[in-house]
């Protein structure tokens, strides 16, 4: 079990460093900060980075049997849950941006302007925060006032102690899954029609956009499967505790950590403009490290 924790720390560290490099790349070019899809990409990177750090911190604290005040745990839950929802909701928005770029190219500059991007970010944060606050509200409504001063091991399961709260959470998550799946499918079908009718360079660009939507759909599927994990784990823990621990570790790596490493694949490696900026930044960092080692050797 300790080996699993160590492997998890290694995975989280690698993903977090990659995300920091990608965030620095976005800020290295003003063009990225004035284009909707790169701004949305930045939102996912920041959200995923915060999620990785806080969820990993809570994992470590839980496994060392560290207790904290329930009110503090609520704050952690709100932040982690918000970040967990921001990624799939943002991916849905990015899919719609690709739909507009390919199916409505003449209206793309207007619909995906910087001003509308700011509105889009506000909508993403609002939509992502709704389930978090609803679940916390049901917990507060059912809990006594003395609960908030108690000290317990912080876990997400403690906010759905009653069966009806668990069912309500499941229904809410499935509603989000349904809406985002419909949006992805709609965009895919529309882009597919344009791809079949396009020719030459337009056809190549359209099929690239279609492949991006497919990758978004796969990443979104992984993100949404994590919403089912608590319900599967709650059934397994009644059967075998060791199996529960192994399944929970597998779910954390596969459905929580893995989707957070697909963003670099989608935009970091497939986008030529971003890839060139990333290579330049990586080269600059590499040269900086070499110079630092030279300075240290001279100092010695």
């Amino acid at each position: 079990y300790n080996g699993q924790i160590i492997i998890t720390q290694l995975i989280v560290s690698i993903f977090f460093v990659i995300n920091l490099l990608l965030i620095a790349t976005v800020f290295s070019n003003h063009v990225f900060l004035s284009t909707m899809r790169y701004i949305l990409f930045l939102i996912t990177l920041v959200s995923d980075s915060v999620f990785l750090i806080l969820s990993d911190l809570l994992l470590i604290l839980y496994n060392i049997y560290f207790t904290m005040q329930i009110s503090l745990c609520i704050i952690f839950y709100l932040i982690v849950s918000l970040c967990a929802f921001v990624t799939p909701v943002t991916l849905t928005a990015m899919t719609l941006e690709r739909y507009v770029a390919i199916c409505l190219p003449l209206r793309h500059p207007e619909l995906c302007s910087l001003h509308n991007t700011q509105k889009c970010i506000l909508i993403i944060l609002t939509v992502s925060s709704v389930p978090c606050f609803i679940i916390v509200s049901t917990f507060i409504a059912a809990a006594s006032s003395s609960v908030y001063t108690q000290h317990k091991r912080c876990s997400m399961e403690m906010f759905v102690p009653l069966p009806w709260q668990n069912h309500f959470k499941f229904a809410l998550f499935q509603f989000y899954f349904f809406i985002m799946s419909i949006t992805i499918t709609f965009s895919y079908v529309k882009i597919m029609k344009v791809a079949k009718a396009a020719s030459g360079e337009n056809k190549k660009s359209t099929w690239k956009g279609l492949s991006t939507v497919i990758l978004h759909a796969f990443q979104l599927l992984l993100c949404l499967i994590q919403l089912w994990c608590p319900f599967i784990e709650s059934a397994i823990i009644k059967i075998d505790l060791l199996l529960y621990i192994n399944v929970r570790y597998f779910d954390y790596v596969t459905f929580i950590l893995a989707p957070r490493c697909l963003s670099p694949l989608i935009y970091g490696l497939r986008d030529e403009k971003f890839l060139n900026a990333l290579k330049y930044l990586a080269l600059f960092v590499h040269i900086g490290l070499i110079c630092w080692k030279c300075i240290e050797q001279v100092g010695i």
Side-chain angles (χ1 to χ4, degrees):
Y1 187 67
N2 290 333
Q4 293 180 346
I5 298 297
I6 294 173
I7 293 174
T8 301
Q9 302 314 303
L10 180 61
I11 294 173
V12 169
S13 300
I14 292 173
F15 290 170
F16 183 68
V17 171
I18 291 174
N19 279 358
L20 287 182
L21 183 60
L22 293 171
I23 291 171
T25 303
V26 175
F27 280 103
S28 68
N29 193 325
H30 73 279
V31 174
F32 296 147
L33 295 175
S34 60
T35 306
M36 174 178 275
R37 61 176 174 148
Y38 294 116
I39 295 176
L40 294 179
F41 178 48
L42 177 63
I43 296 298
T44 63
L45 290 173
V46 173
S47 172
D48 289 346
S49 298
V50 174
F51 180 88
L52 287 174
I53 294 300
L54 288 184
S55 64
D56 187 54
L57 175 62
L58 290 175
L59 176 68
I60 295 173
L61 294 178
Y62 186 85
N63 283 287
I64 63 174
Y65 293 87
F66 180 85
T67 61
M68 67 176 68
Q69 202 168 6
I70 298 297
S71 56
L72 179 60
C73 187
I74 291 176
I75 295 174
F76 275 118
Y77 173 81
L78 286 174
I79 298 174
V80 171
S81 297
L82 176 63
C83 293
F85 273 95
V86 162
T87 294
V89 173
T90 306
L91 286 172
T92 305
M94 293 168 76
T95 300
L96 288 175
E97 187 275 334
R98 287 295 83 198
Y99 160 74
V100 173
I102 294 171
C103 300
L104 304 170
L106 297 180
R107 298 199 62 192
H108 184 263
E110 173 194 350
L111 295 176
C112 300
S113 64
L114 190 60
H115 179 67
N116 286 336
T117 300
Q118 295 171 352
K119 292 182 179 179
C120 183
I121 294 173
L122 182 61
I123 293 173
I124 288 172
L125 294 176
T126 302
V127 171
S128 301
S129 64
V130 169
C132 312
F133 284 104
I134 288 179
I135 292 172
V136 169
S137 298
T138 58
F139 170 76
I140 293 175
S144 62
S145 57
S146 60
V147 169
Y148 310 114
T149 57
Q150 296 177 6
H151 286 70
K152 292 184 178 181
R153 294 164 71 191
C154 187
S155 66
M156 301 302 103
E157 290 78 12
M158 66 184 294
F159 293 100
V160 284
L162 302 176
W164 72 267
Q165 291 175 316
N166 205 34
H167 296 322
F168 180 77
K169 176 183 176 182
F170 183 75
L172 185 62
F173 285 177
Q174 296 318 300
F175 173 74
Y176 269 69
F177 176 85
F178 177 76
I179 295 299
M180 288 186 279
S181 298
I182 290 296
T183 304
I184 292 284
T185 304
F186 168 81
S187 301
Y188 176 83
V189 171
K190 290 294 184 180
I191 294 175
M192 176 66 80
K193 290 181 179 179
V194 174
K196 289 182 177 180
S199 60
E201 289 296 324
N202 288 336
K203 192 176 187 68
K204 181 180 179 181
S205 175
T206 302
W207 279 104
K208 185 176 180 180
L210 186 64
S211 64
T212 300
V213 172
I214 294 173
L215 287 171
H216 280 328
F218 177 68
Q219 186 181 10
L220 184 62
L221 178 63
L222 291 180
C223 287
L224 294 175
I225 287 177
Q226 71 171 290
L227 303 180
W228 299 340
C229 292
F231 308 103
I232 298 173
E233 293 165 3
S234 62
I236 294 177
I237 195 173
K238 299 175 183 178
I239 303 172
D240 189 329
L241 180 60
L242 181 59
L243 178 62
Y244 165 76
I245 293 173
N246 291 329
V247 168
R248 191 168 191 180
Y249 172 74
F250 174 81
D251 290 342
Y252 182 70
V253 173
T254 306
F255 303 121
I256 296 180
L257 296 186
R260 268 97 192 153
C261 76
L262 288 178
S263 290
L265 172 65
I266 295 174
Y267 277 94
L269 301 180
R270 297 179 69 253
D271 188 287
E272 185 176 352
K273 185 186 297 183
F274 190 87
L275 180 59
N276 290 334
L278 181 61
K279 288 179 178 178
Y280 177 81
L281 183 62
L283 178 63
F284 180 78
V285 172
H286 181 66
I287 294 174
L289 291 175
I290 293 175
C291 292
W292 178 258
K293 288 182 179 179
C294 291
I295 293 173
E296 285 185 335
Q297 291 178 357
V298 171
I300 293 174

